[in-house]
Amino acid sequence: MVQQEVLDRTFAALADATRRQILIRLGRGPASIGELAEPFGMSLTGMKKHVHVLENAGLVTTEKVGRSRQCRLGTERLEDAMSWIRFYQRLWERRLDGLDAYFTLTKEDDR
Amino acid sequence: MVQQEVLDRTFAALADATRRQILIRLGRGPASIGELAEPFGMSLTGMKKHVHVLENAGLVTTEKVGRSRQCRLGTERLEDAMSWIRFYQRLWERRLDGLDAYFTLTKEDDR
DNA sequence: TTTATAGTGAACCACATGGTTCAGCAAGAG
DNA sequence: CTCTTGCTGAACCATGTGGTTCACTATAAA
C-alpha cells in the first residue's frame, strides 16, 4: 500500500474548504500567492501557509518568478487518495455482496 | 456541491493512519471498542476518540449492545469524498487535455 | 536611486488533536 | 449481592492548525 504518511498529508490537505477552493482555482490555471489570497480576503502570510500545506502534500508545486510565486497543480497525489478510497470501497462492497457469507462467517465475533 | 463541513470531517477522519486501519478492520465485520483497541495497544479511551471522529464523519455507526459498543462501517460518506476528488480531477484533466485552449483562455489572468 | 510591491519569517493567539491516567458506572457472571 | 469487565468522562499534556500582525528582504518601476 502507499506510504501512510503521504496519505496522511494528502487527506489532511484536503480536509479544509479553503484549500479545496484553492485547488479548484488552480484548476483554471496558475496563480500567485496574492491572486489566491484576494478572493478570500486573507493575508498573504495566511495564504502562503495554505499553499505550503498543499505543496507538502504534493498537490501543488510552486516556483519563484521575479518577486511573485507561481503556484500550479501537482500531479499524482490525488490518484493516491482516490486509490485508497477505492481499495476501501472494495472491502466494503465485498461485505455487502456476500451478506450471507458474512453472517455465517462472523457469527463468532459478531455477537 | 456537497456540504463543505461534511467533506471537512470526512477528509480529516481519513487523514490518520490509525483510523484508516480501523476502517479496514471494520471492513471485515463489526467490532467492539476493545477489539479495535487491542491490535494498536491503545487505551480504550483513545480508541473511543478515534471511533467518535469516524462516527462524526459518518464513516462508522455504533450501537451500545449490553456493556459493549458495536462499531460498523457507515455507508455513503466515502462516496462523497471520492466524488469530490473525481470532480477535481476532471478540472485538472480538462486543463491538460486542452493545453492550447488553456493558454489562450488564461492569458489575461495568468501573468 | 528611490519607492512601491510581493512575498517571507518570527512571534503570537485561540482552539483542535491524539494521546494518556484515573475515577466512575452499568451490565453480566458467580 | 458481589465482583469483574467494558466502556465512559473529565482532566491533563504536548503538539499542530488556521489565522493574525509586524518587521524585513528582494524585485520592479519611476
Side-chain angles (χ1 to χ4, degrees):
Chain A
M1 181 100 3
V2 208
Q3 258 73 20
Q4 295 294 342
E5 215 183 305
V6 171
L7 280 175
D8 283 7
R9 283 202 291 259
T10 305
F11 282 124
L14 293 176
D16 182 282
T18 302
R19 286 195 292 264
R20 290 193 300 272
Q21 294 265 114
I22 293 172
L23 289 180
I24 289 174
R25 165 63 187 81
L26 290 181
R28 305 204 325 267
S32 68
I33 302 281
E35 285 164 351
L36 290 176
E38 192 271 340
F40 297 98
M42 183 183 295
S43 67
L44 292 182
T45 310
M47 179 50 66
K48 212 219 153 201
K49 284 191 181 184
H50 279 302
V51 169
H52 186 238
V53 170
L54 290 166
E55 200 175 2
N56 250 358
L59 292 166
V60 157
T61 67
T62 77
E63 186 196 2
K64 192 91 193 228
V65 176
R67 65 183 157 179
S68 101
R69 176 175 294 277
Q70 288 295 318
C71 309
R72 303 181 140 71
L73 287 185
T75 54
E76 70 289 338
R77 283 306 151 73
L78 270 195
E79 239 342 301
D80 292 350
M82 185 123 95
S83 81
W84 188 87
I85 293 183
R86 254 194 239 108
F87 165 78
Y88 167 87
Q89 277 201 326
R90 232 173 305 131
L91 280 189
W92 179 68
E93 282 155 13
R94 186 196 305 155
R95 212 192 81 189
L96 286 194
D97 289 351
L99 257 190
D100 306 335
Y102 159 68
F103 276 128
T104 48
L105 268 169
T106 60
K107 223 171 233 158
E108 75 282 357
D109 69 355
D110 196 17
R111 174 198 23 107
Chain B
M1 181 102 359
V2 207
Q3 258 74 20
Q4 295 294 342
E5 216 181 306
V6 172
L7 280 175
D8 282 7
R9 283 201 290 258
T10 304
F11 282 124
L14 293 177
D16 182 283
T18 303
R19 286 194 293 263
R20 289 193 300 273
Q21 294 265 115
I22 294 171
L23 289 180
I24 289 174
R25 165 63 187 81
L26 290 181
R28 305 205 322 268
S32 69
I33 301 280
E35 284 164 350
L36 289 176
E38 192 270 339
F40 296 99
M42 183 183 293
S43 67
L44 292 182
T45 310
M47 179 51 66
K48 212 220 154 200
K49 283 192 181 184
H50 279 302
V51 168
H52 186 239
V53 170
L54 290 166
E55 199 175 5
N56 251 358
L59 291 166
V60 157
T61 67
T62 76
E63 185 197 2
K64 192 89 192 232
V65 176
R67 67 184 156 178
S68 103
R69 175 174 294 277
Q70 288 295 318
C71 309
R72 301 181 142 70
L73 286 186
T75 55
E76 71 288 341
R77 283 305 150 75
L78 271 196
E79 239 341 301
D80 292 349
M82 184 123 95
S83 82
W84 187 88
I85 292 185
R86 254 194 238 108
F87 165 77
Y88 166 88
Q89 278 201 326
R90 231 173 306 131
L91 278 190
W92 180 67
E93 281 156 13
R94 186 198 303 155
R95 211 192 82 188
L96 285 193
D97 290 351
L99 258 191
D100 306 334
Y102 158 67
F103 276 126
T104 49
L105 266 171
T106 60
K107 222 171 235 161
E108 76 284 358
D109 69 354
D110 194 18
R111 180 187 9 111

